[in-house]
Amino acid sequence: MNKPQLELADVVHRFVGPYKEQFGHLMLPSHHRALQDITRCMTEAMGGGRYHCQDCNETFWSYHGCRNRSCPKCHGRQMADWLKCRSAEILPCRYFHLVATVPSELRSLFLRHQKTLYGLLMKIAADAVRDLAAEKRYVGAEVGILAVLHTWTGRLHHHPHVHMLVTGGGVTDDGTAWHDAPNEFLVPVRRLSPVIASRFAEAMQKGHPDLFKQIPDKAWNREWCSYCKPYGTGKDAVLHYLARYVFRIAITNHRLISMDESHVTLRYKDHDTGQWKTERIEGVQFLRRFLFHVLPKGLHKVRYYGLWHPCKKDRQAQARLLLELTMAPVADNDVPLVGDLAAEALGQSSLESHDRRVKCPKCGGTNVLRFENIRRRKAQMVTWPTGGQ
């Protein structure tokens, strides 16, 4: 008989008490909520229904997910639904992938002021890419950017960085032409990196002088943009991006190897060697690392800029028309939407997800009838002192 997959909920159950004894005073409200939701997800506490399978005569319960964005069981479906509601069209052009990083000297400051600094980093990085790409020597037009905030490494260490999917071309200011980026090139990393650093420094000096004084001078001479490479064309590029970056969270159940009375063992990919490795972490320290990546309530980790900004739907339509005039005809039913791609990416990704159609756990069939409901229990939140921002 196969051993059941270790889940994050199992780890939380075992170590949440000792963790709160040590670090309860540092926890954000979003931390309390995430731990509580993860332990209740897909259990009777979340409510659900009792079903009867008409194919194999099996009777079973199916419980609801918590829909917490840090939960490894149900985050994919929640994100896919959110993206589908945007209904923004994907442009049939080439795409580039950029990564803006935070120097190590700033990481502790970012952790203490997450809402302020994460949002500032995303905006400045995206605006720097837009402005540089708009120069005639590069694209000479306005590009579209889908930015996603990640805060982790494979070992769950704190490492804030922003992934950006950027259109390999854009619409001119007068809206009359589409300009493609030079072949296999968007903007130079060596020039983009200092632009991000200088703009971030300027914004901190102007808007947050008290925080700016805490940053050592050497941070401004470090690398702020580490990556800019071609990513593919059209639907395939966006689909791969959605599956690989938008739907990803800090840890998924399949990376948890084992747990004993005091430690948790996880697997991670060493990006220097490309090999999978394991690390054994003390349980309380594991939860501490995990909670580094539970964002404060109201902080959006996915944002749109340039052509993809929600306020520029007219410019998006212009971009599509201009592209279609210079490309082979594309049938209407072949034009993908962000929502359609999100659902497809969710189905193809390796992350855990749950089909909206209830399946029989015995035969896998969907020919089931619901004949009993159970309501979600109201969570009893425990109030702990909180710190940070």
Side-chain angles (χ1 to χ4, degrees):
M1 186 175 179
N2 293 332
K3 185 178 179 181
Q5 167 67 52
L6 176 65
E7 296 188 353
L8 182 58
D10 301 323
V11 179
V12 175
H13 271 299
R14 176 162 293 182
F15 296 110
V16 66
Y19 178 83
K20 287 186 175 181
E21 289 179 3
Q22 294 186 45
F23 301 109
H25 63 290
L26 299 175
M27 293 176 67
L28 304 177
S30 58
H31 294 175
H32 290 281
R33 172 59 68 181
L35 295 181
Q36 177 178 261
D37 286 347
I38 288 169
T39 57
R40 288 160 50 93
C41 187
M42 303 293 176
T43 68
E44 184 179 349
M46 296 302 298
R50 195 178 186 188
Y51 295 82
H52 179 76
C53 178
Q54 299 185 89
D55 292 333
C56 67
N57 208 35
E58 179 77 1
T59 298
F60 61 94
W61 284 95
S62 177
Y63 300 115
H64 299 152
C66 66
R67 298 181 65 83
N68 190 295
R69 62 180 171 179
S70 297
C71 176
K73 285 185 177 180
C74 56
H75 67 93
R77 176 57 61 188
Q78 181 183 16
M79 185 62 75
D81 289 344
W82 185 85
L83 282 173
K84 190 171 184 178
C85 291
R86 291 303 305 268
S87 68
E89 292 183 346
I90 297 303
L91 299 175
C93 63
R94 290 184 297 129
Y95 288 89
F96 288 80
H97 182 206
L98 287 84
V99 179
T101 63
V102 172
S104 57
E105 292 83 1
L106 278 77
R107 292 174 190 167
S108 61
L109 190 66
F110 267 68
L111 196 58
R112 296 194 302 271
H113 303 276
Q114 296 179 42
K115 277 192 173 181
T116 298
L117 299 186
Y118 285 157
L120 187 62
L121 173 67
M122 296 181 75
K123 185 179 187 308
I124 286 177
D127 286 347
V129 172
R130 289 175 60 201
D131 292 344
L132 202 56
E135 295 185 12
K136 292 184 178 180
R137 72 180 78 179
Y138 303 124
V139 179
E142 183 175 33
V143 297
I145 301 175
L146 170 59
V148 184
L149 173 69
H150 283 184
T151 61
W152 58 83
T153 66
R155 299 168 64 190
L156 296 182
H157 291 307
H158 185 238
H159 177 57
H161 55 284
V162 180
H163 293 273
M164 290 177 279
L165 183 70
V166 186
T167 56
V171 178
T172 56
D173 289 340
D174 59 11
T176 61
W178 172 272
H179 283 185
D180 278 317
N183 189 34
E184 301 299 310
F185 183 81
L186 183 69
V187 293
V189 170
R190 289 186 177 180
R191 186 176 173 196
L192 178 61
S193 186
V195 169
I196 295 175
S198 62
R199 291 190 180 188
F200 195 87
E202 181 180 354
M204 292 291 287
Q205 283 180 305
K206 183 177 180 180
H208 311 280
D210 54 330
L211 299 182
F212 178 79
K213 294 177 182 178
Q214 302 178 40
I215 302 174
D217 292 339
K218 62 180 180 180
W220 308 117
N221 297 320
R222 298 287 301 276
E223 189 177 68
W224 284 70
C225 182
S226 61
Y227 188 95
C228 179
K229 292 185 178 180
Y231 201 71
T233 302
K235 175 180 177 179
D236 290 340
V238 179
L239 174 60
H240 189 262
Y241 183 85
L242 291 171
R244 187 170 183 180
Y245 296 102
V246 176
F247 299 136
R248 183 174 292 179
I249 60 172
I251 187 74
T252 52
N253 288 334
H254 77 276
R255 290 211 292 124
L256 298 174
I257 304 300
S258 63
M259 176 179 66
D260 55 33
E261 293 299 323
S262 59
H263 286 73
V264 178
T265 301
L266 60 81
R267 69 186 185 106
Y268 66 95
K269 191 172 186 178
D270 187 327
H271 291 287
D272 292 331
T273 65
Q275 301 295 316
W276 284 94
K277 298 182 178 180
T278 61
E279 181 177 7
R280 188 168 181 261
I281 309 172
E282 194 274 326
V284 170
Q285 183 60 30
F286 173 89
L287 288 186
R288 181 163 172 76
R289 289 191 196 180
F290 169 71
L291 289 175
F292 284 162
H293 316 298
V294 174
L295 301 177
K297 182 178 180 180
L299 178 60
H300 297 289
K301 62 173 285 186
V302 180
R303 304 186 184 191
Y304 291 84
Y305 300 92
L307 288 179
W308 276 347
H309 192 279
C311 294
K312 295 192 176 182
K313 292 183 179 180
D314 290 343
R315 187 52 64 94
Q316 293 171 24
Q318 283 181 324
R320 175 163 293 282
L321 177 60
L322 292 169
L323 279 165
E324 290 178 349
L325 290 174
T326 59
M327 296 175 58
V330 178
D332 290 342
N333 56 3
D334 290 333
V335 177
L337 301 180
V338 166
D340 299 330
L341 292 171
E344 187 175 348
L346 179 62
Q348 294 184 7
S349 71
S350 60
L351 306 181
E352 293 91 336
S353 62
H354 291 269
D355 196 333
R356 286 196 169 189
R357 295 193 66 184
V358 175
K359 294 181 180 180
C360 174
K362 184 177 181 180
C363 69
T366 57
N367 186 21
V368 298
L369 293 177
R370 182 171 184 160
F371 64 91
E372 186 177 351
N373 294 324
I374 182 172
R375 299 186 65 180
R376 176 176 178 173
R377 299 175 186 170
K378 186 176 181 180
Q380 299 295 323
M381 292 292 291
V382 178
T383 301
W384 294 78
T386 59
Q389 184 172 323

